[in-house]
Amino acid sequence: MLRLIDRQEVIRMARLARLELSEAEVEQYQADLTNFLTSGKKLQKVDVSAVEGTSHAVSITHELRKDEVGSSLPREEVLSAGPETVDGFFKVPRIVEEQE
Amino acid sequence: MRNLAHLLETRQVSSREIVKHYLGEIKQQEPDLNAFITVDDVGALAQADAADMRRSQGNPLSPWDGIPIAVKDNISTKGLKTTCASRFLSNYKPLFDASVVRSLRDAGMPILGKTNLDEFAMGSSTEYSAYGVARNPHDRTRVSGGSSGGSAAAVAAGEAPWSLGTDTGGSIRQPASFCGVVGLKPTYGWVSRYGVVALAPSLDQVGPMARTVEDAAILFSLLAGPDPKDATSADARNFEVPFWDDQFVKDLKIGVPEEFFGEGLHPDVEKAVRRSLRTLEGQGATLVPISLATNDYAIDTYLTLVTAEASSSLARYDGVRYGERVHAADSNTMFSKSRAAGFGPEVKRRIMLGTYVLSASHYEAYYEQAQRVRTLIKLDVLDAFKQVDVIITPTTPTTAFTIGAKRNPLEMYLSDLFTAMANLSGIPALSVPCGTDPKGLPIGLQIMGSHFREELLFKVGYVVERSAAR
Amino acid sequence: MTRYDTVIGLEIHVALLTQSKFLCSCRASFGAPPNSQCCPVCLGLPGTLPLINEKAVEYATKAGLALKCNINHYSRFDRKNYFYPDLPKAFQITQDAFPLCNDGYLEYYVDDQLVRTAITRIHLEEEAGKLIHSGESIVASEYSLVDYNRAGIPLIEIVTAPDIHQPKQARLFLEQLRLLMSYIGVSDTKMEEGSLRCDANISLKPSGSPVLGTKVEIKNLNSFRALEKALEYEEIRQSQVLDSGAKVRQESRTWDDRAGKTVSMRSKGDAPDYRIFPEPDLPPLNLDPVWVELIAASIPELPLERLNRLEGEYGLSRYEATFLVNYPDFGELFLELADSGLDCKTVVNFLMGDYARLAREKGHLDSERIAGLFQILDERLISQTQAKEVLDALFSSPQTAREIVKDKGMEVVGDPERLRPIVHQVLEANPQLVERFKLGETKLHGFFVGQVMRATQGKADPEAVNALLQEELVN
């Protein structure tokens, strides 16, 4: 089957999206991406030179929020859903790399 | 719903009785239907009692005080599990109510429970739910549609008088069509998205689902309005439920786009829709053949944008602050394992696709291109409304398919063939049942209007509804 | 050895001093107990939406105007997507494609030469939370702790052109930028609290060559000094690499302050792919030109403007003017006092001298009370020698100078009739010294004056004492 996207690319996407994939899943998504790209080719051909992109379907304007302090959540509530908390902090295991 | 409200007002029935009735229906039908993920009997009854108390003191919060409702499980309800039908959020209880839920509570409506959906609202059948598919009340071997399958099925089966759904590419309208109920996707921005778990922020909208057009309009009137918590909410006036209007059909120009009546449309569906169109014509409306050629690009544009936005919206599920964490020695692995374990295959698929179209080397060719095609689609639609008042199409190409029938994801995406255009252009669209096929499966008719013209959709909806009842 | 030109560019993050955060209304202050200033929005809970803080936009615009930038009436927000425990939504709301400001500059003195550094752009973005690592460094820690109090604080990112040519200049630029930000009141610019951060890019090119060299990014610079030292280190390191014929590697390096060197950060392979796209939850920012004008009108006198004015109109030296500009509280005092008619040089010497020492410890006095001190000196109510004591007292009492003098009975005694007996006493008590004076040891005069002062607890008017001694001794 013609693959429009190579395996390395799929693995790179999975890494970017922080999704651990099994071998079978890598193959599956390689196929899915290929199908999508094939079908999406027709979009590439559309002449869009006359228009800009639409980020908002309906033109929105919104008044900016006034700089007033509102109430924050009580700390116990903030931490309540946390899978692991320590002394008021959220705990995470070793961060291997510096921030990207 | 007016009847029910009247009964409550005249104290012929209590809220508790009403809620008990629905809880009873739920109890009876649920194991089979699976329309609900969480049923809150204790909470609903307590809210019902509070409503009864208010009525006895003569201060109901609204005419609908005490009438219960079901809420799709991707809408935040404070203290009540909101799972989005995902394993990742299987134990997540929001610390706040969505603004739309606030509106329901302000009207005094007890919440029966949270309805089933495709995981994170990604899907067209509810088969992608981590809690099992929601079955179609008309035929339990078939899907109720998606992603708001549970909300549609609950109303169709009489488990709830009305419900809230969300619609990103057709997720209210398609299940409404499959289950034979009314569903509205409002104008983008007219209903607040605050507290609604995001799938694709530029496309998502919350909408009402109900048994009748009027009920849907009533529910919509409680939801519509600006919300200071949502910067994308429109500064539009509140909506008033329109009255039945005999005369307006005579001046009505209805656009019938040829692209929506071509290949892929099931003959039974076509027949029912055309019959309704003829009825409207008989009453004085003018049918205007139009062309919405850009609908050809709608699905691909929609897929590109929805997956891109979804891949970003779902990145916050990393297991740090909430959700089901899978432990690992380092954070990156923890993220990857938690997400892999918590998300189902369709969610992963869309995240992969979305990541791809947004990635630096592909951005211009895919995402930016799709944004621009979206503009073309929007212009095409707005152009059509210069000639006509409303556009009528079938809601879906077919009636409800059997569970397990669509194995190919791309095939599943085609369910949105007629609905995605409304989300891409931000216009309102209403699905109204207009008949059944020989198997007795409901058929839905879609009415689209220009921005903020929901009242027109409902008025046309009344006519379609009345004629279908005959 | 070939000579190289150093090319430096800076990327500075300034936290804006708003009351609430950028995108939600949690309090935006420093030092609260962890996770006590959070809400569903800044925690990135499912379903939450951002709301732009008007004051953040105002302050960002003000900063842009102060840096002589072009303010874009249309600007837009974007999502920058990446995973990190301190980033609640796993994307940062920033401005990538259409920033708020562009094309400005900052002028400042480097060794008495006025230089200009171009500012390429300024944009608004949100801050991430804070991480505390269990070990010595991130990678050496078994776990880390996250505090989201800072998550969502408004920041502006200021990017300079690669316009800076020596490490010292970079430090001076940053100092001046910091000063400017505090003058316009948009930030408290405390590097130790993280409200001012700076990353640097540095490259070397053969002297005179138009082609820029490979740039290296330096991170983890926690002080002005660190900035200068890290860049100095890099200059040497890179020139050694180039001298040896090798190429400088494009990378990010972190400054290790203790070791005094930059260290390569673990290479990640590819450049990060942030998948930036327009933020769908926020409308674009459309600024009303009238509003921008109002902000421009609210900008106070800026450091360089004040420096020029102090030198030009008040005749101060560069050194004096720089002091007053760098310490604007002193600058304000100076202006109030000088504008009220007092002699500029006297005032500036006073402020920079005894006053500065005391004020640093005990806080400032208001200009009125200082003027009061000058007034009574002018009236000769007290002597110069007494001034110090009165000044000290001004810092510990709410009274005016005049009141203090009265209370302490410090008025100068100038009446010759009151002083004469004391002068006589002193001279009679020291006959040998008087003899020695008359024989030519004129510097004993000071001794006699001192003795009179002692006898009068310093209250004797020196001029009157001199006159009396003159009379007595000559006879």
Side-chain angles (χ1 to χ4, degrees):
Chain A
M1 195 227 250
L2 172 70
R3 301 280 169 172
L4 283 179
I5 168 171
D6 68 40
R7 205 173 156 280
Q8 273 319 300
E9 189 71 347
V10 176
I11 291 174
R12 188 171 85 87
M13 292 301 121
R15 163 139 186 76
L16 270 180
R18 297 297 188 272
L19 286 174
E20 189 182 79
L21 299 181
S22 66
E23 259 315 299
E25 282 173 313
V26 172
E27 277 211 29
Q28 173 68 49
Y29 295 130
Q30 193 181 4
D32 288 337
L33 273 166
T34 299
N35 287 338
F36 168 75
L37 295 176
T38 310
S39 140
K41 263 187 188 323
K42 111 174 117 175
L43 268 192
Q44 311 291 302
K45 301 199 182 89
V46 180
D47 177 8
V48 293
S49 50
V51 294
E52 296 285 319
T54 297
S55 293
H56 300 104
V58 177
S59 164
I60 39 169
T61 52
H62 198 87
E63 248 188 65
L64 298 180
R65 176 176 57 87
K66 294 261 170 273
D67 186 28
E68 282 154 7
V69 176
S71 50
S72 294
L73 288 172
R75 200 181 10 176
E76 319 80 63
E77 276 188 45
V78 169
L79 299 168
S80 63
E84 248 191 289
T85 60
V86 166
D87 289 339
F89 292 91
F90 291 94
K91 185 178 176 189
V92 296
R94 186 167 63 103
I95 301 169
V96 175
E97 289 157 16
E98 292 279 341
Q99 171 189 330
E100 282 179 34
Chain B
M1 210 61 66
R2 294 203 193 275
N3 289 340
L4 204 50
H6 179 72
L7 290 173
L8 275 168
E9 201 195 326
T10 53
R11 320 288 302 284
Q12 290 181 63
V13 78
S14 71
S15 173
R16 175 168 261 261
E17 285 170 301
I18 297 174
V19 171
K20 277 194 86 158
H21 162 79
Y22 283 108
L23 287 174
E25 283 298 321
I26 292 170
K27 190 151 181 204
Q28 201 185 34
Q29 304 201 52
E30 259 312 281
D32 198 26
L33 268 191
N34 202 29
F36 280 84
I37 292 177
T38 304
V39 180
D40 184 21
D41 357 39
V42 173
L45 284 169
Q47 289 157 39
D49 289 339
D52 286 330
M53 177 73 77
R54 289 189 291 267
R55 287 232 183 237
S56 73
Q57 286 167 347
N59 4 318
L61 290 169
S62 76
W64 329 106
D65 195 334
I67 298 179
I69 186 166
V71 174
K72 187 173 178 183
D73 207 15
N74 63 346
I75 299 176
S76 300
T77 42
K78 186 172 177 177
L80 187 59
K81 241 184 345 167
T82 300
T83 67
C84 302
S86 176
R87 254 187 287 278
F88 196 96
L89 292 178
S90 50
N91 290 302
Y92 172 70
K93 287 193 184 156
L95 299 170
F96 63 99
D97 275 334
S99 294
V100 290
V101 171
R102 242 303 30 90
S103 298
L104 300 178
R105 297 204 204 270
D106 286 347
M109 295 164 66
I111 295 176
L112 293 164
K114 309 302 291 298
T115 56
N116 203 355
L117 61 153
D118 283 291
E119 187 180 1
F120 282 109
M122 299 190 213
S124 308
S125 66
T126 316
E127 286 170 291
Y128 291 131
S129 166
Y131 301 95
V133 68
R135 292 167 192 281
N136 195 317
H138 297 272
D139 177 346
R140 315 272 158 137
T141 67
R142 294 175 185 267
V143 302
S144 48
S147 60
S148 310
S151 285
V155 172
E159 287 179 312
W162 46 14
S163 65
L164 288 189
T166 63
D167 190 312
T168 305
S171 291
I172 284 178
R173 293 161 287 157
Q174 186 251 34
S177 173
F178 279 11
C179 292
V181 299
V182 179
L184 172 76
K185 180 207 85 71
T187 304
Y188 183 86
W190 209 347
V191 177
S192 169
R193 286 185 303 112
Y194 184 80
V196 179
V197 181
L199 163 57
S202 80
L203 298 160
D204 295 339
Q205 271 295 278
V206 176
M209 302 182 80
R211 301 191 80 124
T212 68
V213 174
E214 192 188 35
D215 288 351
I218 291 169
L219 185 51
F220 178 61
S221 72
L222 297 173
L223 306 171
D227 181 11
K229 290 198 172 112
D230 177 353
T232 61
S233 89
D235 187 17
R237 65 193 177 289
N238 289 348
F239 170 82
E240 298 212 356
V241 180
F243 290 109
W244 169 261
D245 180 351
D246 256 346
Q247 293 305 304
F248 94 104
V249 185
K250 293 193 174 54
D251 300 313
L252 196 65
K253 291 211 249 342
I254 299 175
V256 183
E258 62 197 39
E259 291 82 5
F260 289 63
F261 289 87
E263 213 185 290
L265 177 61
H266 196 284
D268 291 336
V269 175
E270 180 166 6
K271 212 160 98 180
V273 174
R274 286 216 188 269
R275 193 178 56 228
S276 289
L277 282 169
R278 277 197 303 278
T279 307
L280 284 161
E281 203 179 18
Q283 295 193 15
T286 313
L287 300 185
V288 181
I290 61 171
S291 169
L292 289 173
T294 57
N295 198 54
D296 198 27
Y297 308 127
I299 292 283
D300 290 303
T301 305
Y302 170 70
L303 273 179
T304 306
L305 298 177
V306 77
T307 55
E309 290 186 21
S311 71
S312 175
S313 299
L314 267 71
R316 68 187 63 196
Y317 303 107
D318 57 15
V320 176
R321 294 161 303 287
Y322 48 84
E324 298 306 297
R325 179 190 287 198
V326 173
H327 293 272
D330 74 271
S331 281
N332 276 327
T333 308
M334 186 265 275
F335 295 160
S336 302
K337 282 192 187 290
S338 303
R339 291 160 65 76
F343 293 152
E346 180 60 20
V347 170
K348 286 184 202 169
R349 180 172 14 253
R350 294 208 194 185
I351 291 175
M352 291 292 288
L353 268 169
T355 305
Y356 184 87
V357 305
L358 285 177
S359 76
S361 34
H362 311 298
Y363 180 87
E364 224 181 280
Y366 291 99
Y367 183 80
E368 213 181 273
Q369 182 76 359
Q371 286 271 46
R372 297 170 82 173
V373 175
R374 182 179 185 176
T375 306
L376 290 177
I377 293 174
K378 185 175 165 185
L379 290 171
D380 196 14
V381 166
L382 292 182
D383 213 46
F385 283 116
K386 291 190 187 131
Q387 305 171 54
V388 301
D389 303 309
V390 295
I391 297 173
I392 290 184
T393 75
T395 304
T396 52
T398 66
T399 53
F401 44 88
T402 51
I403 294 169
K406 307 242 182 245
R407 299 209 175 283
N408 182 345
L410 266 186
E411 233 188 278
M412 187 72 86
Y413 298 146
L414 287 173
S415 305
D416 294 333
L417 192 57
F418 299 151
T419 49
M421 202 175 211
N423 302 84
L424 289 167
S425 55
I427 59 169
L430 180 72
S431 180
V432 180
C434 67
T436 54
D437 75 359
K439 292 200 216 56
L441 295 171
I443 295 169
L445 175 149
Q446 175 176 243
I447 308 159
M448 298 190 274
S450 47
H451 297 124
F452 302 106
R453 297 308 310 276
E454 275 81 335
E455 101 285 351
L456 201 52
L457 307 189
F458 285 118
K459 280 169 144 172
V460 176
Y462 290 153
V463 179
V464 172
E465 185 177 52
R466 181 180 280 205
S467 73
R470 287 194 205 105
Chain C
M1 181 165 120
T2 10
R3 292 227 37 250
Y4 300 107
D5 290 339
T6 304
V7 177
I8 297 169
L10 299 177
E11 211 175 274
I12 302 114
H13 287 91
V14 176
L16 299 175
L17 209 57
T18 52
Q19 304 265 41
S20 63
K21 293 185 180 182
F22 185 32
L23 303 168
C24 68
S25 52
C26 285
R27 187 179 297 278
S29 65
F30 182 84
N35 292 307
S36 62
Q37 278 168 189
C38 303
C39 74
V41 175
C42 56
L43 285 170
L45 295 189
T48 51
L49 297 172
L51 290 173
I52 303 290
N53 180 336
E54 182 184 65
K55 201 108 230 154
V57 180
E58 183 188 315
Y59 283 176
T61 305
K62 202 166 186 179
L65 288 165
L67 286 166
K68 317 292 188 222
C69 291
N70 175 45
I71 306 295
N72 295 313
H73 292 129
Y74 171 87
S75 67
R76 187 189 76 191
F77 295 98
D78 297 301
R79 287 192 185 182
K80 182 174 173 184
N81 298 280
Y82 65 95
F83 285 84
Y84 211 67
D86 65 3
L87 197 64
K89 299 186 291 294
F91 60 83
Q92 180 197 38
I93 293 182
T94 178
Q95 295 185 302
D96 183 70
F98 294 91
L100 185 67
C101 323
N102 61 293
D103 297 334
Y105 60 86
L106 179 64
E107 284 180 326
Y108 51 105
Y109 280 100
V110 179
D111 293 332
D112 269 343
Q113 186 136 7
L114 189 68
V115 300
R116 174 188 284 211
T117 296
I119 308 279
T120 310
R121 52 178 279 155
I122 303 179
H123 72 256
L124 277 160
E125 61 181 41
E126 57 169 335
E127 172 74 288
K130 200 171 77 148
L131 291 170
I132 297 178
H133 309 296
S134 64
E136 293 253 309
S137 69
I138 294 184
V139 294
S141 300
E142 190 204 320
Y143 64 87
S144 297
L145 300 174
V146 199
D147 170 15
Y148 293 103
N149 281 354
R150 299 292 291 169
I153 299 275
L155 301 176
I156 42 172
E157 181 179 312
I158 301 171
V159 183
T160 74
D163 234 16
I164 296 172
H165 301 291
Q166 29 156 342
K168 171 172 157 179
Q169 185 190 353
R171 173 179 55 82
L172 287 168
F173 170 85
L174 192 61
E175 285 172 354
Q176 286 305 304
L177 181 70
R178 196 210 128 260
L179 194 65
L180 185 72
M181 292 296 115
S182 77
Y183 261 61
I184 61 177
V186 303
S187 173
D188 60 17
T189 56
K190 293 185 184 162
M191 278 185 99
E192 65 278 14
E193 287 182 7
S195 53
L196 176 69
R197 286 203 298 278
C198 182
D199 291 336
N201 288 305
I202 176 171
S203 66
L204 260 43
K205 61 182 173 69
S207 210
S209 161
V211 179
L212 291 177
T214 309
K215 76 177 174 192
V216 172
E217 187 190 22
I218 316 289
K219 301 175 88 84
N220 195 35
L221 300 163
N222 294 325
S223 66
F224 297 99
R225 192 177 146 279
L227 171 64
E228 189 173 359
K229 291 186 91 63
L231 289 171
E232 283 171 345
Y233 178 87
E234 267 303 291
E235 265 185 322
I236 296 172
R237 185 191 75 83
Q238 288 188 26
S239 63
Q240 283 173 349
V241 169
L242 293 173
D243 284 345
S244 74
K247 284 196 183 353
V248 171
R249 206 161 62 131
Q250 178 167 12
E251 59 178 346
S252 292
R253 297 176 73 89
T254 181
W255 170 248
D256 183 339
D257 208 42
R258 259 181 306 173
K261 56 188 188 131
T262 62
V263 177
S264 180
M265 289 165 64
R266 191 177 304 205
S267 157
K268 293 175 282 338
D270 320 301
D273 187 345
Y274 293 117
R275 291 153 286 138
I276 298 177
F277 71 101
E279 173 57 75
D281 286 331
L282 293 171
L285 213 49
N286 280 306
L287 299 185
D288 177 4
V290 174
W291 189 69
V292 176
E293 280 301 311
L294 284 173
I295 295 174
S298 77
I299 292 180
E301 185 175 40
L302 299 178
L304 189 62
E305 291 166 5
R306 178 163 290 186
L307 189 80
N308 291 336
R309 190 160 73 98
L310 289 173
E311 286 178 22
E313 284 175 37
Y314 294 82
L316 300 184
S317 71
R318 172 67 48 82
Y319 178 71
E320 290 163 343
T322 302
F323 173 86
L324 293 175
V325 166
N326 286 354
Y327 300 101
D329 39 357
F330 282 86
E332 293 297 322
L333 266 179
F334 169 82
L335 286 169
E336 279 174 58
L337 293 166
D339 286 347
S340 75
L342 296 171
D343 174 59
C344 299
K345 281 294 176 180
T346 312
V347 173
V348 75
N349 286 331
F350 167 76
L351 287 176
M352 288 176 75
D354 288 326
Y355 178 80
R357 191 179 30 86
L358 285 161
R360 287 231 169 80
E361 245 180 90
K362 306 189 178 171
H364 282 289
L365 300 175
D366 66 65
S367 61
E368 272 165 30
R369 294 175 70 219
I370 298 174
L373 175 59
F374 277 99
Q375 176 68 19
I376 61 172
L377 273 169
D378 193 50
E379 287 172 11
R380 324 266 315 270
L381 184 67
I382 57 166
S383 67
Q384 277 296 119
T385 29
Q386 288 170 300
K388 265 204 174 98
E389 191 186 331
V390 179
L391 181 62
D392 250 320
L394 278 172
F395 276 98
S396 28
S397 134
Q399 296 174 301
T400 64
R402 195 180 296 276
E403 285 165 356
I404 289 169
V405 165
K406 192 136 188 247
D407 261 10
K408 290 184 177 226
M410 284 172 74
E411 296 88 337
V412 159
V413 180
D415 180 3
E417 296 323 304
R418 287 181 60 190
L419 287 176
R420 198 183 298 277
I422 299 171
V423 172
H424 282 165
Q425 256 180 317
V426 168
L427 294 179
E428 274 157 29
N430 298 280
Q432 302 94 321
L433 295 174
V434 172
E435 277 307 305
R436 280 163 62 182
F437 178 84
K438 289 187 175 166
L439 287 173
E441 282 188 55
T442 49
K443 63 180 184 204
L444 283 173
H445 181 95
F447 172 76
F448 296 132
V449 173
Q451 288 298 300
V452 175
M453 285 302 184
R454 258 184 73 193
T456 60
Q457 290 103 40
K459 288 197 276 191
D461 177 9
E463 266 190 44
V465 172
N466 281 335
L468 285 170
L469 278 173
Q470 189 83 327
E471 268 183 55
E472 298 297 317
L473 289 169
V474 163
N475 296 342

